[in-house]
């Protein structure tokens, strides 16, 4: 496994691989890896000759007062995990490598990124699109792998790729959960023991919602109400940022549940903000 810090050196190396006819699969991450990340790596391994994983906590996607400084980091552990998975290349740049002095160009998707995470984390998707486009230009992947855990992010990236004619295939991969249903996340380490227990409320609310839909409930607003009422029973859920049932392609509130809808949820606990989502089966 080769580790690169310098973008130009990695690009030169990738160009050589491509001249040899090798396909490149790419998994962008912020590190502190868990099985969710590793599921993307395994998928990329199956479908490409070479797998590149990036590890970079991207400052431009964090708002003021968010957790950029305390975001968990452990590069040595990450490298060991990726080596075990048989990853070929790790790209782990420093901030100055990605944002040298005088950096002044940003990329913004202006429709799908406006609501939900975009509303509660202003500037977040601008930072995400900018770093992802930069990474695509450096790594030149044939395919890039993103988790449905961040469903809105997956949709925003797919839209950027389409709108800007980027020559890369975006592959969405299913959410990996803990045994009790909590979606894996690097940020779960922030949770206290009691918060960790109550964090399963999100998954439980999806089970409840799925049951109601199976029983015939088709009104998205009523379903949202049921989910909110359920989440309110958990005292460590201090705030509900949003609970919404949206069309999978538009990310706009659905008018009726027909089988192409997703529940998107974001809540705040004392030590972490949690997001999760669920594809409704009818
Ligand atoms: P992050 O390091 O949090 O920026 O995540 C890097 C990639 O891993 C993103 O595409 C995430 O959507 C994906 N990811 C994070 N957690 C999970 C999970 N529990 N299941 C599947 N994919 C995930």
């Amino acid at each position: 496994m080769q580790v690169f810090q310098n973008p130009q050196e990695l690009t030169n190396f990738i160009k050589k691989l491509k001249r040899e006819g090798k396909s490149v699969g790419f998994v962008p991450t912020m590190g502190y890896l868990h099985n969710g990340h590793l599921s993307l790596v395994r998928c990329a391994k199956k479908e490409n000759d070479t797998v590149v994983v990036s590890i970079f906590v991207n400052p431009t996607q964090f708002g003021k007062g968010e957790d950029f400084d305390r975001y968990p980091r452990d590069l040595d552990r990450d490298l060991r995990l990726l080596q075990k998975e048989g990853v070929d290349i790790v790209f782990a740049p420093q901030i100055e490598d990605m944002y040298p002095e005088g950096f002044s160009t940003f990329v913004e998707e202006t429709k799908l990124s406006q609501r939900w995470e975009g509303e509660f984390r202003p500037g977040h998707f601008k930072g995400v699109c900018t770093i992802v486009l930069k990474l695509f230009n450096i790594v030149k992947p044939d395919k890039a792998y993103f988790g449905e855990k961040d469903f809105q992010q997956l949709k925003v990236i797919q839209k950027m790729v389409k709108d800007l004619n980027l020559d890369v295939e975006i592959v969405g991969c299913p959410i990996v959960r803990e045994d009790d249903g909590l979606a894996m996340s690097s940020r779960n380490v922030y949770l206290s023991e009691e918060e960790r227990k109550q964090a399963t409320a999100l998954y439980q609310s999806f089970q409840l919602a799925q049951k109601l839909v199976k029983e015939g409930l088709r009104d998205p607003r009523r379903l949202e109400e049921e989910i909110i009422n359920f989440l309110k029973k958990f005292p460590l859920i201090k705030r509900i940022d949003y609970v919404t049932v949206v069309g999978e392609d538009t990310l706009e509130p659905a008018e009726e549940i027909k089988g192409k809808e997703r529940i998107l949820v974001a809540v705040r606990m004392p030590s972490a903000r949690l997001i999760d989502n669920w594809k409704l089966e009818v």
Side-chain angles (χ1 to χ4, degrees):
M1 188 171 79
Q2 297 216 53
V3 182
F4 289 84
Q5 185 198 314
N6 181 279
Q8 190 60 55
E9 284 174 20
L10 174 57
T11 299
N12 293 342
F13 189 78
I14 298 263
K15 280 185 176 163
K16 210 170 69 206
L17 290 175
K18 294 217 143 178
R19 278 197 298 271
E20 294 165 7
K22 298 249 167 43
S23 65
V24 175
F26 177 42
V27 181
T29 82
M30 299 207 297
Y32 212 72
L33 303 176
H34 51 66
N35 278 325
H37 298 115
L38 299 183
S39 74
L40 308 185
V41 169
R42 285 168 200 151
C43 192
K45 281 279 293 177
K46 271 192 217 133
E47 298 180 354
N48 303 274
D49 301 322
T50 308
V51 172
V52 182
V53 177
S54 66
I55 296 177
F56 181 61
V57 184
N58 172 38
T60 64
Q61 71 189 68
F62 288 78
K64 279 203 190 79
E66 290 187 0
D67 56 345
F68 174 71
D69 288 328
R70 67 177 186 127
Y71 194 86
R73 295 160 168 91
D74 190 342
L75 184 60
D76 289 339
R77 178 175 165 276
D78 289 347
L79 293 178
R80 279 198 301 277
L81 289 171
L82 295 176
Q83 174 107 53
K84 245 198 270 169
E85 294 296 327
V87 165
D88 303 284
I89 297 170
V90 176
F91 179 44
Q94 296 293 309
I95 293 181
E96 316 79 74
D97 298 311
M98 297 308 277
Y99 300 107
E101 179 116 3
F103 182 92
S104 62
T105 306
F106 291 85
V107 185
E108 202 166 9
E109 193 283 330
T110 57
K111 253 202 194 109
L112 297 176
S113 60
Q114 294 305 300
R115 301 184 77 170
W116 324 125
E117 285 307 281
E119 182 184 337
F120 287 90
R121 304 185 67 187
H124 170 66
F125 286 120
K126 181 173 163 187
V128 168
C129 285
T130 302
I131 195 66
V132 169
L133 180 56
K134 281 174 66 70
L135 289 168
F136 284 176
N137 285 331
I138 293 163
V139 176
K140 310 190 180 307
D142 297 284
K143 294 184 173 192
Y145 298 79
F146 291 83
E148 290 183 351
K149 163 73 170 44
D150 303 281
F151 190 73
Q152 188 177 11
Q153 167 176 280
L154 169 63
K155 290 289 165 178
V156 167
I157 300 286
Q158 281 173 335
K159 190 68 184 354
M160 172 178 79
V161 163
K162 179 165 184 264
D163 286 350
L164 299 183
N165 307 88
L166 304 184
D167 191 13
V168 53
E169 180 186 335
I170 303 301
V171 182
C173 304
I175 301 175
V176 177
R177 297 180 179 281
E178 303 285 358
D179 290 340
D180 63 3
L182 177 65
M184 289 192 183
S185 164
S186 307
R187 287 186 168 102
N188 289 348
V189 294
Y190 296 151
L191 299 170
S192 71
E193 205 176 314
E194 190 51 38
E195 285 171 348
R196 172 64 188 79
K197 283 187 197 150
Q198 295 192 25
T200 58
L202 274 63
Y203 181 70
Q204 289 170 28
S205 78
F206 297 153
Q207 300 299 103
L208 168 69
Q210 185 58 72
K211 178 171 153 279
L212 292 171
V213 168
K214 284 263 153 80
E215 288 168 3
L217 181 60
R218 291 290 180 272
D219 177 355
R221 302 296 87 72
R222 269 202 48 210
L223 194 64
E224 290 162 3
E225 240 171 76
E226 295 279 355
I227 295 168
I228 290 167
N229 288 336
F230 180 84
L231 293 175
K232 279 184 174 163
K233 293 182 198 154
F234 295 80
L236 289 178
I237 295 184
K238 297 294 182 192
R239 221 153 89 194
I240 297 174
D241 278 352
Y242 56 83
V243 168
T244 184
V245 176
V246 297
E248 283 208 305
D249 295 326
T250 62
L251 299 186
E252 288 297 320
E255 287 178 3
E256 194 193 338
I257 296 164
K258 296 188 237 173
K260 282 212 68 177
E261 292 75 31
R262 248 181 218 253
I263 308 168
L264 308 181
V265 172
V267 303
R268 293 184 206 211
M269 301 191 97
S271 7
R273 183 171 178 277
L274 304 178
I275 67 168
D276 201 346
N277 67 85
W278 183 263
K279 182 179 172 58
L280 284 168
E281 311 277 347
V282 301

